[in-house]
Amino acid sequence: MESYGYEMNAPRSGSSHYTFRKQGCITCGETVESAAANALDAKKAWIEAALEAGAEIYEPDSLEYYSGQFKLRIPRSLHRSLTEHSQREGISMNQYCVYLLSKNDAVYSK
């Protein structure tokens, strides 16, 4: 179970809680330590509930096999359009493309 990772988020403005969030699972704590302990309990409870419900639990995968880069050939007109949109947003084209890919991937991940 330890290999199933999680993300911890620092308190936002006006909050004093660190939060742990995974699909269908959320917890928090007053300190990083308490939030991490609560996250372990929440993760265990989530896995137990999923097993009882007969839900499929996928093996955790490792990110070490992914470089974070890939080459993509696109039409020149799309290249121009992406460049123009990223400039309008005031961000790099790389950041803009990551945003678009993440947004679209989130739609299909549900």
Side-chain angles (χ1 to χ4, degrees):
M1 181 174 55
E2 287 300 319
S3 59
Y4 287 90
Y6 55 90
E7 280 186 25
M8 191 77 64
N9 297 312
R12 291 189 174 167
S13 178
S15 172
S16 62
H17 290 84
Y18 290 82
T19 58
F20 156 74
R21 200 178 298 258
K22 197 104 172 132
Q23 185 176 359
C25 184
I26 185 170
T27 190
C28 61
E30 296 280 334
T31 65
V32 173
E33 293 79 14
S34 66
N38 293 343
L40 289 175
D41 289 342
K43 185 167 47 169
K44 182 180 178 202
W46 182 89
I47 290 173
E48 289 171 355
L51 289 172
E52 286 177 19
E56 188 171 355
I57 301 175
Y58 299 100
E59 289 293 321
D61 62 349
S62 175
L63 295 178
E64 70 186 47
Y65 301 108
Y66 302 96
S67 69
Q69 300 178 7
F70 67 95
K71 195 170 199 170
L72 182 65
R73 288 178 172 52
I74 59 174
R76 291 176 187 216
S77 58
L78 178 57
H79 191 172
R80 179 186 62 219
S81 178
L82 291 169
T83 301
E84 290 171 354
H85 290 139
S86 65
Q87 287 174 346
R88 237 190 329 263
E89 293 296 321
I91 58 176
S92 71
M93 191 171 77
N94 184 67
Q95 288 174 311
Y96 185 67
C97 290
V98 168
Y99 159 74
L100 292 174
L101 289 168
S102 299
K103 181 178 170 184
N104 197 42
D105 187 57
V107 170
Y108 289 103
S109 294
K110 292 182 180 179

